[in-house]
């Protein structure tokens, strides 16, 4: 954490004035500012004052300054229990465009503003508790009633539906009233009417207001990626700022795809976590988890400089962890289509906790090596069933994708992953085209300058098989005995246990049968003995009867 040694000076540079003292709940702050998050079913609940989403650790600001070692890290690296922000299979609103979202280019976001519009009839200006701390920066000097009137009316909100279905007195509208809706002006009476002006001068950059830029960590055609600290929660994030694509262009759809994919995917330890996205000025911005170990590509370049390669154990770890991330993406009905070293990010678990604390930690990110590999950059993600394929890097591209055959899309990710691992193993840079490109597509792993077990090389070879059907699925890889030998041992032991259980069951059955036979035999013997006895006694009785003096009666049963 050397960046932060001079923390006193740094703390002065942090401006918390816009954060609101009560705002410990990041979920409120983040959700409140314009999010491109797709609508969720809990939205209405949120307007009513309870925020069911708390996607991140809630740390008191004081705590952040007190704990110098733990501060300034990605929220996912902290030991606070992360609450999954899984949004399930949310239907993404494909029709919404960046241009339309310009409506939200302001700290007065639909949700915060609706929090005001949703309670007009309560007769009080006090917003619900979870919104009370939110300050509306541009209009900060306006009184509450003026602020409340600076809203756009979203026709799709439950409040709009309420107005459509109910009269102001709360009664349900009749069919006639529904068929002949009142003039728009009448609807407006209930909701504040002024549209929030969208002039540039009124826009305060959310990026600048909420984040402090620490350094540029990547730059490319797409724009730039910055390591930033969020003023409110003191955590570090990776933020991509890219040029806003032309409204209605295919680039715009591509840009939105990344956000849709993140939103649908939710949270997985081997997929870079997404926090928020918004548009401002000419930029679109995406705020993601910051991975403190850089990208796998950075690590490969460092290795190349030192003449080193990843070891067999490390290669297996990369393959296993990325397969887990892919399994999650594929099982969500999506494919990545741009797997390569520069899109795999590395998180090193920080050694801030004592060994005892580390032992106690029940983090899902825990791995034997303490290194977590995560799939990032979802810019090429598409649906498996309804694909819109934007070819990824040609060096990692499976031949069938080039041939526009999209029947086995997940297997294209497997192909790219094998070449990614080969690079990590020390393979020379991959060709963009030419003879070597085709040689690899025929199922040949390029030469690897280190001794690796035959079974591991065979697995990599299978992963680049020319026939995608032959390549293992991500799920199969996560269970593969080469990657999880302990799992292989466990499976073997389980099989042995099952055989023993079968034997025991059979012996128990035999024992039961023997016992039953024994009982039957006993009973039979007893039965015939009693029969004999009864016959003898009946003969004797007859004798007595003949004698004519017996007053005793006998009864007997056979014992059945
Ligand atoms: O850590 C990162 N998370 C990202 O989403 C991301 C990250 C990085 C890093 C790691 C630095 O230790 C370097 N670069 C160039 C990154 C890019 C991204 C990224 C990629 C982002 Cl923020 C959005 C889209 C694609």
């Amino acid at each position: 954490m050397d960046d932060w040694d001079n923390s006193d000076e740094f703390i002065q540079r942090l401006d918390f004035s816009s954060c609101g003292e009560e705002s410990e709940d990041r979920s409120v702050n983040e959700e409140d500012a314009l999010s491109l998050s797709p609508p969720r079913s809990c939205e209405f609940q949120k307007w009513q004052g309870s925020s069911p989403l708390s996607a991140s650790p809630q740390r008191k600001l004081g705590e952040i300054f007190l704990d110098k070692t733990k501060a300034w890290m990605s929220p996912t690296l902290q030991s606070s229990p992360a609450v999954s922000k899984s949004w399930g299979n949310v239907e993404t609103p494909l029709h919404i465009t960046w241009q339309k979202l310009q409506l939200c280019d302001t700290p007065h976001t639909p949700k915060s503003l609706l929090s005001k519009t949703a309670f007009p009839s309560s007769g009080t200006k006090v917003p619900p508790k979870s919104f009370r701390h939110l300050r509306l920066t541009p209009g900060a000097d306006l009184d509450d009633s003026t602020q409340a009137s600076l809203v756009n009316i979203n026709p799709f909100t439950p409040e709009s539906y309420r107005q459509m279905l109910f009269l102001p007195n709360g009664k349900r509208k009749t069919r006639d009233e529904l068929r002949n809706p009142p003039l728009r002006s009448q609807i407006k009476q209930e909701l504040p009417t002024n549209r929030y002006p969208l002039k540039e001068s009124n826009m305060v950059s959310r990026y600048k207001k909420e984040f402090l830029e620490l350094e540029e960590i990547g730059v490319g055609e797409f724009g730039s990626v910055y390591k930033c600290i969020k003023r409110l929660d003191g955590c570090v994030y990776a933020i991509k700022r890219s040029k806003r694509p032309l409204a209605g262009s295919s680039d715009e759809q591509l840009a939105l795809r990344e956000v849709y994919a993140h939103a649908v995917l939710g949270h997985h330890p081997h997929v870079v976590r997404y926090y928020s996205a918004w548009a401002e000025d000419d930029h679109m911005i995406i705020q993601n988890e910051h991975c403190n170990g850089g990208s796998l590509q950075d690590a490969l370049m460092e290795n190349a400089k030192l003449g080193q390669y990843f070891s067999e154990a490390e290669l297996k770890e990369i393959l296993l962890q990325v397969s887990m991330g892919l399994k999650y993406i594929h099982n969500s009905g999506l494919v990545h289509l741009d797997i390569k070293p520069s899109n795999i990010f590395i998180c090193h678990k920080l050694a801030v906790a004592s060994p005892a604390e580390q032992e106690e930690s029940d983090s899902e990110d825990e791995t034997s090596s303490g290194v977590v590999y995560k799939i990032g950059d979802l810019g090429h993600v598409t649906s498996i069933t309804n694909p819109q394929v934007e070819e990824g890097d040609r060096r990692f591209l499976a031949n069938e994708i080039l041939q526009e055959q999209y029947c086995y899309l997940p297997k294209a990710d497997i192909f790219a992953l094998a070449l990614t691992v080969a690079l990590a193993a020390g393979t020379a840079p991959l060709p963009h085209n030419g003879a070597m490109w085709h040689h690899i597509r025929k199922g040949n792993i390029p030469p690897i300058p280190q001794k690796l077990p035959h079974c591991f090389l065979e697995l990599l070879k299978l992963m680049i098989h020319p026939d995608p059907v032959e390549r293992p699925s991500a799920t199969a890889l996560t269970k593969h005995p080469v990657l999880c030998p302990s799992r292989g041992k466990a499976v073997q032991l389980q099989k042995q246990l099952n055989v023993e259980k079968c034997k025991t069951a059979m012996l128990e059955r035999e024992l039961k049968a023997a016992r039953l036979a024994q009982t039957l035999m006993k009973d039979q013997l007893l039965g015939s003995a009693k029969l004999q006895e009864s016959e003898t006694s009946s003969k004797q009785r007859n004798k007595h009867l003949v004698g004519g003096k017996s007053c005793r009666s006998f009864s007997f049963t056979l014992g059945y």
Side-chain angles (χ1 to χ4, degrees), residues 195-234:
R195 258 174 77 91
Y196 183 78
L198 297 174
K199 283 185 230 133
E200 289 283 325
S201 58
N202 276 320
M203 293 181 194
V204 174
S205 160
R206 172 178 163 186
Y207 177 66
K208 288 192 181 135
K209 190 167 78 81
E210 292 189 7
F211 298 91
L212 180 70
E213 204 172 278
L214 300 177
E215 58 175 306
E216 192 178 67
I217 52 179
V219 62
E221 265 176 48
F222 57 84
S224 305
V225 181
Y226 299 92
K227 178 176 170 183
C228 294
I229 185 161
K230 184 164 171 166
R231 296 177 199 278
L232 180 64
D233 60 25

Side-chain angles (χ1 to χ4, degrees), residues 402-459:
L402 199 66
Q403 308 302 326
E404 301 189 4
Q405 288 165 8
Y406 303 144
C407 311
Y408 302 101
L409 280 179
K411 299 297 181 73
D413 283 343
I414 303 295
F415 180 91
L417 176 55
L419 294 184
T420 299
V421 173
L423 280 173
T427 283
L430 297 170
H432 286 87
N433 46 38
M436 188 59 179
W437 191 95
H438 287 282
H439 183 64
I440 293 170
R441 269 80 197 161
K442 281 182 186 144
N444 302 297
I445 286 285
I448 291 177
Q450 65 169 302
K451 182 114 189 72
L452 289 171
H454 179 71
C455 55
F456 186 53
L457 292 172
E458 280 305 302
L459 180 61

Side-chain angles (χ1 to χ4, degrees), residues 217-219 222 225-227 237-240 258 262 272-273 286-295 298 342-343 345-346 376-379:
I217 52 179
V219 62
F222 57 84
V225 181
Y226 299 92
K227 178 176 170 183
Y237 295 90
I239 296 192
K240 184 174 86 171
E258 185 177 0
H262 269 300
V272 170
R273 193 164 176 184
I286 184 161
Q287 175 198 353
N288 281 350
E289 165 188 4
H290 176 257
C291 303
N292 61 359
S295 69
D298 297 336
S342 55
N343 287 337
F345 298 101
I346 303 173
D377 195 344
L378 307 191

Side-chain angles (χ1 to χ4, degrees), residues 107-126:
H108 293 232
T109 69
K111 275 182 232 163
S112 63
L113 298 171
L114 276 163
S115 75
K116 291 175 178 289
T117 64
F119 304 94
S121 53
S122 66
T124 168
K125 281 181 203 166
V126 184

Side-chain angles (χ1 to χ4, degrees), residues 25 32 91 93 123 170 181-182 267 300 312 362 453 507 544:
D25 183 346
D32 181 68
E91 283 288 323
H267 182 203
L300 296 191
E312 179 194 330
D362 58 352
L507 285 173
H544 283 286

